[in-house]
PDB file of all heavy atoms in Angstrom:
ATOM      1  N   THR E 153      -4.048  -3.600 -16.731  1.00  0.00           N
ATOM      2  CA  THR E 153      -2.725  -4.155 -16.606  1.00  0.00           C
ATOM      3  C   THR E 153      -2.268  -4.159 -15.161  1.00  0.00           C
ATOM      4  O   THR E 153      -1.662  -5.133 -14.645  1.00  0.00           O
ATOM      5  CB  THR E 153      -1.704  -3.387 -17.460  1.00  0.00           C
ATOM      6  OG1 THR E 153      -2.199  -3.353 -18.829  1.00  0.00           O
ATOM      7  CG2 THR E 153      -0.362  -4.001 -17.432  1.00  0.00           C
ATOM      8  N   GLU E 154      -2.569  -3.065 -14.478  1.00  0.00           N
ATOM      9  CA  GLU E 154      -2.233  -3.001 -13.053  1.00  0.00           C
ATOM     10  C   GLU E 154      -2.895  -4.051 -12.233  1.00  0.00           C
ATOM     11  O   GLU E 154      -2.316  -4.710 -11.377  1.00  0.00           O
ATOM     12  CB  GLU E 154      -2.527  -1.590 -12.496  1.00  0.00           C
ATOM     13  CG  GLU E 154      -2.083  -1.380 -11.065  1.00  0.00           C
ATOM     14  CD  GLU E 154      -2.362  -0.005 -10.591  1.00  0.00           C
ATOM     15  OE1 GLU E 154      -2.841   0.848 -11.378  1.00  0.00           O
ATOM     16  OE2 GLU E 154      -2.108   0.281  -9.390  1.00  0.00           O
ATOM     17  N   GLU E 155      -4.206  -4.271 -12.516  1.00  0.00           N
ATOM     18  CA  GLU E 155      -4.963  -5.287 -11.824  1.00  0.00           C
ATOM     19  C   GLU E 155      -4.383  -6.698 -12.142  1.00  0.00           C
ATOM     20  O   GLU E 155      -4.309  -7.546 -11.206  1.00  0.00           O
ATOM     21  CB  GLU E 155      -6.465  -5.260 -12.237  1.00  0.00           C
ATOM     22  CG  GLU E 155      -7.189  -3.985 -11.711  1.00  0.00           C
ATOM     23  CD  GLU E 155      -8.611  -3.895 -12.153  1.00  0.00           C
ATOM     24  OE1 GLU E 155      -9.022  -4.828 -12.940  1.00  0.00           O
ATOM     25  OE2 GLU E 155      -9.303  -2.999 -11.751  1.00  0.00           O
ATOM     26  N   GLN E 156      -4.056  -6.926 -13.351  1.00  0.00           N
ATOM     27  CA  GLN E 156      -3.505  -8.230 -13.764  1.00  0.00           C
ATOM     28  C   GLN E 156      -2.161  -8.427 -13.070  1.00  0.00           C
ATOM     29  O   GLN E 156      -1.836  -9.534 -12.582  1.00  0.00           O
ATOM     30  CB  GLN E 156      -3.295  -8.323 -15.249  1.00  0.00           C
ATOM     31  CG  GLN E 156      -4.626  -8.390 -16.012  1.00  0.00           C
ATOM     32  CD  GLN E 156      -4.380  -8.407 -17.533  1.00  0.00           C
ATOM     33  OE1 GLN E 156      -3.285  -8.266 -18.030  1.00  0.00           O
ATOM     34  NE2 GLN E 156      -5.502  -8.507 -18.286  1.00  0.00           N
ATOM     35  N   GLY E 157      -1.348  -7.357 -12.995  1.00  0.00           N
ATOM     36  CA  GLY E 157      -0.083  -7.451 -12.280  1.00  0.00           C
ATOM     37  C   GLY E 157      -0.255  -7.770 -10.804  1.00  0.00           C
ATOM     38  O   GLY E 157       0.513  -8.582 -10.248  1.00  0.00           O
ATOM     39  N   ALA E 158      -1.275  -7.164 -10.202  1.00  0.00           N
ATOM     40  CA  ALA E 158      -1.547  -7.423  -8.794  1.00  0.00           C
ATOM     41  C   ALA E 158      -1.959  -8.850  -8.571  1.00  0.00           C
ATOM     42  O   ALA E 158      -1.568  -9.472  -7.602  1.00  0.00           O
ATOM     43  CB  ALA E 158      -2.628  -6.413  -8.268  1.00  0.00           C
ATOM     44  N   ASP E 159      -2.819  -9.351  -9.484  1.00  0.00           N
ATOM     45  CA  ASP E 159      -3.259 -10.778  -9.407  1.00  0.00           C
ATOM     46  C   ASP E 159      -2.045 -11.703  -9.506  1.00  0.00           C
ATOM     47  O   ASP E 159      -1.936 -12.695  -8.757  1.00  0.00           O
ATOM     48  CB  ASP E 159      -4.284 -11.070 -10.472  1.00  0.00           C
ATOM     49  CG  ASP E 159      -5.626 -10.342 -10.256  1.00  0.00           C
ATOM     50  OD1 ASP E 159      -5.868  -9.986  -9.081  1.00  0.00           O
ATOM     51  OD2 ASP E 159      -6.370 -10.216 -11.212  1.00  0.00           O
ATOM     52  N   ILE E 160      -1.206 -11.406 -10.486  1.00  0.00           N
ATOM     53  CA  ILE E 160       0.030 -12.257 -10.625  1.00  0.00           C
ATOM     54  C   ILE E 160       0.862 -12.171  -9.413  1.00  0.00           C
ATOM     55  O   ILE E 160       1.437 -13.208  -8.972  1.00  0.00           O
ATOM     56  CB  ILE E 160       0.794 -11.782 -11.907  1.00  0.00           C
ATOM     57  CG1 ILE E 160       0.014 -12.068 -13.173  1.00  0.00           C
ATOM     58  CG2 ILE E 160       2.146 -12.458 -11.967  1.00  0.00           C
ATOM     59  CD1 ILE E 160       0.625 -11.486 -14.413  1.00  0.00           C
ATOM     60  N   LEU E 161       1.030 -10.997  -8.834  1.00  0.00           N
ATOM     61  CA  LEU E 161       1.826 -10.795  -7.656  1.00  0.00           C
ATOM     62  C   LEU E 161       1.250 -11.626  -6.496  1.00  0.00           C
ATOM     63  O   LEU E 161       1.983 -12.302  -5.764  1.00  0.00           O
ATOM     64  CB  LEU E 161       1.870  -9.341  -7.236  1.00  0.00           C
ATOM     65  CG  LEU E 161       2.723  -8.984  -6.004  1.00  0.00           C
ATOM     66  CD1 LEU E 161       4.184  -9.428  -6.217  1.00  0.00           C
ATOM     67  CD2 LEU E 161       2.636  -7.494  -5.712  1.00  0.00           C
ATOM     68  N   ARG E 162      -0.100 -11.640  -6.331  1.00  0.00           N
ATOM     69  CA  ARG E 162      -0.727 -12.366  -5.285  1.00  0.00           C
ATOM     70  C   ARG E 162      -0.477 -13.857  -5.492  1.00  0.00           C
ATOM     71  O   ARG E 162      -0.273 -14.681  -4.601  1.00  0.00           O
ATOM     72  CB  ARG E 162      -2.211 -12.064  -5.181  1.00  0.00           C
ATOM     73  CG  ARG E 162      -2.474 -10.696  -4.503  1.00  0.00           C
ATOM     74  CD  ARG E 162      -3.974 -10.536  -4.191  1.00  0.00           C
ATOM     75  NE  ARG E 162      -4.757 -10.495  -5.412  1.00  0.00           N
ATOM     76  CZ  ARG E 162      -5.117  -9.365  -6.011  1.00  0.00           C
ATOM     77  NH1 ARG E 162      -4.657  -8.192  -5.536  1.00  0.00           N
ATOM     78  NH2 ARG E 162      -5.822  -9.361  -7.132  1.00  0.00           N
ATOM     79  N   SER E 163      -0.676 -14.291  -6.773  1.00  0.00           N
ATOM     80  CA  SER E 163      -0.470 -15.709  -7.118  1.00  0.00           C
ATOM     81  C   SER E 163       0.973 -16.156  -6.796  1.00  0.00           C
ATOM     82  O   SER E 163       1.176 -17.230  -6.225  1.00  0.00           O
ATOM     83  CB  SER E 163      -0.757 -15.927  -8.570  1.00  0.00           C
ATOM     84  OG  SER E 163      -0.554 -17.270  -8.933  1.00  0.00           O
ATOM     85  N   LEU E 164       1.933 -15.287  -7.173  1.00  0.00           N
ATOM     86  CA  LEU E 164       3.337 -15.677  -6.903  1.00  0.00           C
ATOM     87  C   LEU E 164       3.610 -15.690  -5.430  1.00  0.00           C
ATOM     88  O   LEU E 164       4.391 -16.528  -4.947  1.00  0.00           O
ATOM     89  CB  LEU E 164       4.230 -14.681  -7.623  1.00  0.00           C
ATOM     90  CG  LEU E 164       4.269 -14.722  -9.164  1.00  0.00           C
ATOM     91  CD1 LEU E 164       5.121 -13.580  -9.735  1.00  0.00           C
ATOM     92  CD2 LEU E 164       4.844 -16.053  -9.607  1.00  0.00           C
ATOM     93  N   ARG E 165       2.990 -14.776  -4.693  1.00  0.00           N
ATOM     94  CA  ARG E 165       3.156 -14.765  -3.241  1.00  0.00           C
ATOM     95  C   ARG E 165       2.644 -16.074  -2.622  1.00  0.00           C
ATOM     96  O   ARG E 165       3.256 -16.683  -1.717  1.00  0.00           O
ATOM     97  CB  ARG E 165       2.502 -13.536  -2.604  1.00  0.00           C
ATOM     98  CG  ARG E 165       2.843 -13.359  -1.120  1.00  0.00           C
ATOM     99  CD  ARG E 165       2.165 -12.183  -0.529  1.00  0.00           C
ATOM    100  NE  ARG E 165       2.647 -10.941  -1.183  1.00  0.00           N
ATOM    101  CZ  ARG E 165       1.869 -10.154  -1.909  1.00  0.00           C
ATOM    102  NH1 ARG E 165       0.620 -10.438  -2.152  1.00  0.00           N
ATOM    103  NH2 ARG E 165       2.407  -9.072  -2.459  1.00  0.00           N
ATOM    104  N   GLY E 166       1.441 -16.510  -3.144  1.00  0.00           N
ATOM    105  CA  GLY E 166       0.908 -17.760  -2.594  1.00  0.00           C
ATOM    106  C   GLY E 166       1.765 -18.967  -2.955  1.00  0.00           C
ATOM    107  O   GLY E 166       1.999 -19.811  -2.145  1.00  0.00           O
ATOM    108  N   GLN E 167       2.287 -18.934  -4.227  1.00  0.00           N
ATOM    109  CA  GLN E 167       3.171 -20.041  -4.597  1.00  0.00           C
ATOM    110  C   GLN E 167       4.465 -20.020  -3.740  1.00  0.00           C
ATOM    111  O   GLN E 167       5.016 -21.064  -3.389  1.00  0.00           O
ATOM    112  CB  GLN E 167       3.533 -19.940  -6.068  1.00  0.00           C
ATOM    113  CG  GLN E 167       2.346 -20.151  -7.010  1.00  0.00           C
ATOM    114  CD  GLN E 167       2.701 -19.968  -8.451  1.00  0.00           C
ATOM    115  OE1 GLN E 167       3.858 -19.767  -8.803  1.00  0.00           O
ATOM    116  NE2 GLN E 167       1.715 -19.957  -9.310  1.00  0.00           N
ATOM    117  N   ARG E 168       4.958 -18.810  -3.434  1.00  0.00           N
ATOM    118  CA  ARG E 168       6.169 -18.743  -2.607  1.00  0.00           C
ATOM    119  C   ARG E 168       5.882 -19.311  -1.195  1.00  0.00           C
ATOM    120  O   ARG E 168       6.717 -20.019  -0.656  1.00  0.00           O
ATOM    121  CB  ARG E 168       6.569 -17.265  -2.496  1.00  0.00           C
ATOM    122  CG  ARG E 168       7.806 -17.058  -1.647  1.00  0.00           C
ATOM    123  CD  ARG E 168       8.114 -15.554  -1.512  1.00  0.00           C
ATOM    124  NE  ARG E 168       9.202 -15.328  -0.616  1.00  0.00           N
ATOM    125  CZ  ARG E 168      10.504 -15.383  -1.015  1.00  0.00           C
ATOM    126  NH1 ARG E 168      10.782 -15.677  -2.246  1.00  0.00           N
ATOM    127  NH2 ARG E 168      11.445 -15.164  -0.159  1.00  0.00           N
ATOM    128  N   GLU E 169       4.693 -19.004  -0.647  1.00  0.00           N
ATOM    129  CA  GLU E 169       4.370 -19.549   0.661  1.00  0.00           C
ATOM    130  C   GLU E 169       4.269 -21.056   0.602  1.00  0.00           C
ATOM    131  O   GLU E 169       4.708 -21.776   1.518  1.00  0.00           O
ATOM    132  CB  GLU E 169       3.080 -18.942   1.152  1.00  0.00           C
ATOM    133  CG  GLU E 169       3.197 -17.426   1.471  1.00  0.00           C
ATOM    134  CD  GLU E 169       1.836 -16.851   1.861  1.00  0.00           C
ATOM    135  OE1 GLU E 169       0.806 -17.574   1.737  1.00  0.00           O
ATOM    136  OE2 GLU E 169       1.809 -15.673   2.278  1.00  0.00           O
TER     137      GLU E 169
END
Side-chain angles (χ1 to χ4, degrees):
T153 303
E154 184 177 357
E155 291 177 357
Q156 292 176 356
D159 291 338
I160 293 173
L161 182 60
R162 284 192 294 268
S163 177
L164 290 175
R165 188 179 297 114
Q167 293 176 7
R168 179 183 177 85
E169 291 176 354

